[in-house]
Amino acid sequence: FMCVLEGPEHRFTYANTRFSKLVQREIMVGKTVAELFPDLRDQGFKELLDSVYMRGEAYVAESAPIEFTVGDSDRTVRRYLDFIYQPIRDAADKVTGIFVEGADVTDRVTQERTIRISQERLNLAIEAAGLALIHVDLETDEVEFSKEFRALVGWGETPEPHSTQIPDLFHEDDRERLKTLYQQAVQGNANKSIDTTGRLLSQNGDCRWVRLQSRIIVTQQGNSATPSEFIGTFTDITEEREVQAALHEARRLAEAANETKSAFLAHMSHEIRTPMSAVLGYADLLSVRTDDAEQTDYLHIIKRNGQFLLDIINDILDISKIESGKLDIQQVEFSLTELIDDVRSMMAVRASEKGIEFDVIYQSAIPELLLSDPKRLKQILVNLIGNAVKFTRSGSVQLLVRIVTGTDTQ
């Protein structure tokens, strides 16, 4: 837009169409700036125009914020304008007016402000997330690193390396793999990205584990898209890797200790079971050779409690097998009624010693034979009933037996 202001009153003698549209006024010639735009006085415009007129020196204003009323209304607008104020001189070189030329740059300033705010938000998010950035211009091979990246590797204000030197920033065991991934990414398209981990070398020789994620920006040229920029983010995961390594080592040590414990239990159980089997064997021989009722009762007590001890030993062996993952479940036919009778005879003694009753109640017909692991089933029943007897102070313990109808295969 353009306009001409004449005299020290800054009276309009010319205003082009663009200026008229900007201020939404059709008739301005003959009126002064103060008459048409009184609200500009408080914004320093009169002093500015007076200075240009009195000194006779041009003045340039860039992206100057101006608020003024439009048309004959009271509505105020705010625009950003670029101005050039040039003094107009007569034949005697005397300043007689001011030629004003300018452009409305509000849209540009608004876009720049939006971009600046977005960049500030992005920088804040990157800083909060602890991300280090790398940017490669694939057309010029220029490389830029963020301050977070420089801090990560311990750089000062050293010159940026060439893009071909980027793989050298990584540990030699990761270098070729990451170099291949980088080349595949920059030769691909926007859908080709990197998401991997590696060891980044710092200036003092330390290695930092990082997660590298990247995106490719492409430039559209006709029907083809050419990769133009590579943007990568680095997340320091060193502490995470150290925690994982510590957990792995702790798990390994725990498993080794568990295996040692299981081996000890198996050995101990075997050493105890061997002499106990001999004791029970001799108790059987003695029970055949004696007719004394009292001695026979003593031998039965020895055999019964010895068998209980063997059961405990077997339980210990089973625990060690479970912990080592070597417990096998058998599938054999057996009589559930006989198994329950054995459990009843064992548990009845414990119940009577506590002064409580132990009963087995069949709530449905039981098949003659079942297919399962009788040894494990017996262990489960003995443990459950044993705990019930142990924690029952008075009254009775009951074992309810019934068939639960399932599917054809279960």
Side-chain angles (χ1 to χ4, degrees):
F1 61 84
M2 293 180 292
C3 66
V4 177
L5 306 175
E6 187 179 81
E9 306 89 10
H10 314 306
R11 191 177 302 277
F12 283 94
T13 60
Y14 171 77
N16 69 353
T17 304
R18 289 187 177 180
F19 187 81
S20 298
K21 288 182 178 180
L22 175 66
V23 297
Q24 299 182 22
R25 293 177 184 270
E26 296 182 357
I27 302 176
M28 289 183 289
V29 175
K31 296 184 178 182
T32 66
V33 172
E35 290 173 339
L36 293 176
F37 306 105
D39 40 4
L40 294 182
R41 177 183 295 273
D42 295 335
Q43 300 178 52
F45 267 82
K46 183 179 185 305
E47 290 78 4
L48 176 60
L49 294 173
D50 289 344
S51 175
V52 174
Y53 187 84
M54 296 297 295
R55 295 184 179 184
E57 298 177 353
Y59 181 82
V60 177
E62 295 183 354
S63 304
I66 301 176
E67 293 184 359
F68 56 89
T69 56
V70 293
D72 296 326
S73 68
D74 294 331
R75 185 168 63 90
T76 301
V77 297
R78 182 182 179 88
R79 310 295 293 179
Y80 291 89
L81 306 176
D82 284 347
F83 282 111
I84 300 178
Y85 303 89
Q86 297 182 4
I88 300 174
R89 300 176 183 274
D90 60 12
D93 201 31
K94 179 182 178 181
V95 177
T96 60
I98 301 174
F99 175 73
V100 182
E101 182 180 10
D104 186 351
V105 295
T106 303
D107 292 342
R108 187 196 72 194
V109 171
T110 302
Q111 292 175 359
E112 290 176 348
R113 181 175 180 273
T114 301
I115 294 173
R116 184 175 64 256
I117 293 175
S118 297
Q119 185 63 45
E120 290 175 354
R121 289 175 177 173
L122 177 61
N123 292 338
L124 181 61
I126 290 174
E127 184 177 352
L131 297 177
L133 292 181
I134 177 175
H135 174 259
V136 182
D137 188 326
L138 300 178
E139 296 178 353
T140 64
D141 277 342
E142 293 180 354
V143 185
E144 294 183 15
F145 295 96
S146 68
K147 64 178 182 179
E148 289 81 11
F149 186 91
R150 291 180 173 277
L152 182 61
V153 297
W155 283 352
E157 296 299 324
T158 56
E160 311 287 9
H162 193 270
S163 62
T164 57
Q165 297 175 295
I166 292 178
D168 296 335
L169 302 174
F170 292 89
H171 191 277
E172 58 182 359
D173 293 341
D174 302 325
R175 198 167 296 159
E176 288 302 318
R177 175 177 60 86
L178 293 174
K179 183 177 180 180
T180 300
L181 290 174
Y182 174 75
Q183 291 174 344
Q184 291 175 349
V186 300
Q187 293 171 3
N189 51 49
N191 295 324
K192 192 68 175 181
S193 61
I194 298 175
D195 190 347
T196 187
T197 59
R199 286 160 289 182
L200 195 63
L201 297 176
S202 62
Q203 287 290 87
N204 59 9
D206 292 339
C207 287
R208 305 294 298 179
W209 276 99
V210 294
R211 180 183 181 185
L212 169 60
Q213 295 174 291
S214 73
R215 287 292 183 271
I216 297 294
I217 299 177
V218 299
T219 300
Q220 197 72 30
Q221 297 176 342
N223 295 328
S224 62
T226 303
S228 59
E229 296 178 73
F230 172 89
I231 299 177
T233 63
F234 296 83
T235 306
D236 190 346
I237 58 171
T238 304
E239 293 185 2
E240 179 183 337
R241 293 291 297 230
E242 290 175 348
V243 169
Q244 290 177 351
L247 289 175
H248 178 76
E249 179 63 15
R251 185 182 298 110
R252 186 189 67 81
L253 293 175
E255 290 175 350
N258 195 51
E259 290 178 359
T260 301
K261 181 192 72 174
S262 298
F264 169 76
L265 289 175
H267 178 72
M268 180 193 69
S269 300
H270 176 74
E271 293 298 323
I272 296 176
R273 185 166 52 180
T274 301
M276 182 55 62
S277 298
V279 171
L280 293 177
Y282 277 104
D284 285 335
L285 291 176
L286 288 174
S287 63
V288 174
R289 293 175 177 270
T290 182
D291 294 327
D292 186 277
E294 186 177 1
Q295 291 180 354
T296 300
D297 289 339
Y298 291 160
L299 290 173
H300 285 168
I301 293 174
I302 292 174
K303 290 174 60 178
R304 185 171 62 251
N305 288 279
Q307 189 60 51
F308 287 160
L309 182 57
L310 281 180
D311 291 339
I312 294 174
I313 294 171
N314 289 333
D315 289 343
I316 294 174
L317 285 173
D318 288 341
I319 291 173
S320 65
K321 288 180 180 180
I322 292 173
E323 291 176 344
S324 61
K326 297 179 181 179
L327 181 65
D328 296 325
I329 302 297
Q330 298 180 351
Q331 292 291 326
V332 296
E333 287 187 342
F334 69 98
S335 171
L336 180 61
T337 304
E338 292 182 0
L339 185 145
I340 292 177
D341 288 342
D342 290 342
V343 172
R344 174 163 45 188
S345 63
M346 295 168 58
M347 293 296 103
V349 175
R350 298 188 186 180
S352 63
E353 290 175 352
K354 287 199 64 176
I356 61 176
E357 296 181 0
F358 172 64
D359 298 318
V360 176
I361 301 175
Y362 289 90
Q363 296 184 328
S364 67
I366 303 298
E368 183 178 352
L369 296 176
L370 292 180
L371 185 64
S372 184
D373 190 327
K375 180 179 178 182
R376 308 303 172 200
L377 179 57
K378 186 176 182 180
Q379 288 177 336
I380 293 171
L381 291 175
V382 169
N383 287 334
L384 291 176
I385 298 171
N387 285 333
V389 171
K390 179 179 179 181
F391 295 105
T392 301
R393 296 183 178 180
S394 61
S396 64
V397 174
Q398 294 181 341
L399 173 62
L400 307 180
V401 184
R402 67 178 183 274
I403 293 295
V404 178
T405 303
T407 64
D408 295 338
T409 58
Q410 182 178 358

